[in-house]
């Protein structure tokens, strides 16, 4: 770890700042996982006032790499001139184009900064989840009967399409899986005839 000769002032200021910081708000949505997360702006917002009030700042530098990855180093700075490097975070790039690098860079900056300053996303739905009633699941009985009784592959496909859309509308992944398994079973039965 690289740091200035002394980090006493920085450490004291960071301790005060961490006592003042709140969690980063999960205000961005990930449609793929149907979840929310705290983006880079939320992490920065979570630390901005506490850092400013305690003479702290940070910089994030990008290091070159021969691989398809981004490398970000977060350095914490104090108004006394003290500093501490929090190390380099390397993340692979999922798509080798400008968008892929940009996405990986933002992701790396968010995680590097969060780790460096000790800020975590707020569990904004944790209490609600523990108090929430169990999710009602879709009744698939009629759909399963229709799938099992489908006389042809075309009929099977039509019945499955209707059933699957109903499960999607309910956002019931268990029903989707059950219906898919029933369709595949009936498809095998029809192919054997």
């Amino acid at each position: 770890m690289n740091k200035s000769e002394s980090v006493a002032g920085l450490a004291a200021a960071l301790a005060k700042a961490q006592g003042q910081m709140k969690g980063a708000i999960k205000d961005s949505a990930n449609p793929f996982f149907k979840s929310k997360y705290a983006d880079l702006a939320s992490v920065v917002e979570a630390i901005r006032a506490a850092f400013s009030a305690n003479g702290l700042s940070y910089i994030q530098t990008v290091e070159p790499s021969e691989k398809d990855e981004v490398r970000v180093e977060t350095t914490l700075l104090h108004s006394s001139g003290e500093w501490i490097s929090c190390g380099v975070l390397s993340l692979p790039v999922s798509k080798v184009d400008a968008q892929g690098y940009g996405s990986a860079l933002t992701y790396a900056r968010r995680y590097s900064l969060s780790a460096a300053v000790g800020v975590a996303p707020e569990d904004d739905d944790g209490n609600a989840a523990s108090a929430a009633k169990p999710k009602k699941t879709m009744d698939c009985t009629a759909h399963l009967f229709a799938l099992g009784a489908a006389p042809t592959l075309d009929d099977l496909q039509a019945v499955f399409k209707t059933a699957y859309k109903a499960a999607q509308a309910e956002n019931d992944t268990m029903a989707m899986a059950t219906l898919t398994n029933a369709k595949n079973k009936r498809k095998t039965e029809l192919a054997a005839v």
Side-chain angles (χ1 to χ4, degrees):
M1 171 182 359
N2 293 324
K3 61 183 181 61
S4 58
E5 191 172 312
S6 170
V7 292
L10 185 151
L14 185 58
K16 286 181 186 175
Q18 286 176 332
Q20 298 165 354
M21 290 187 293
K22 303 241 185 266
I25 297 171
K26 296 179 184 178
D27 58 358
S28 293
N30 181 334
F32 183 75
F33 291 109
K34 295 184 174 118
S35 63
K36 294 186 106 183
Y37 66 95
D39 64 8
L40 178 59
S42 294
V43 173
V44 171
E45 189 58 33
I47 69 170
R48 185 185 317 271
F51 262 46
S52 180
N54 290 286
L56 294 166
S57 62
Y58 71 93
I59 57 172
Q60 291 185 296
T61 54
V62 180
E63 292 189 354
S65 174
E66 299 296 319
K67 302 175 185 174
D68 292 330
E69 66 180 3
V70 294
R71 295 172 50 84
V72 173
E73 180 178 23
T74 299
T75 303
L76 301 181
L77 309 164
H78 185 249
S79 56
S80 66
E82 296 175 345
W83 60 274
I84 185 168
S85 165
C86 300
V88 175
L89 174 64
S90 301
L91 288 179
V93 175
S94 60
K95 190 174 176 187
V96 185
D97 63 8
Q99 185 178 0
Y101 273 91
S103 178
L105 179 59
T106 301
Y107 192 90
R109 288 183 61 207
R110 173 168 44 117
Y111 279 93
S112 179
L113 182 59
S114 295
V117 302
V119 71
E122 285 185 353
D123 187 7
D124 58 352
D125 57 347
N127 292 333
S130 64
K133 294 177 185 172
K135 185 180 173 187
K136 194 172 153 184
T137 57
M138 182 178 130
D139 181 5
C140 297
T141 308
H143 294 297
L144 293 171
F145 179 78
L147 287 167
T152 68
L153 288 175
D154 288 339
D155 291 330
L156 178 64
Q157 189 58 36
V159 170
F160 175 72
K161 186 175 181 182
T162 301
Y164 198 82
K165 278 186 179 179
Q168 282 181 317
E170 294 290 324
N171 197 24
D172 190 337
T173 55
M174 183 63 80
M176 287 183 237
T178 301
L179 293 167
T180 302
N181 289 338
K183 176 198 70 154
N184 291 339
K185 179 182 176 195
R186 182 61 178 155
K187 186 175 180 181
T188 302
E189 292 170 356
L190 289 171
V193 173

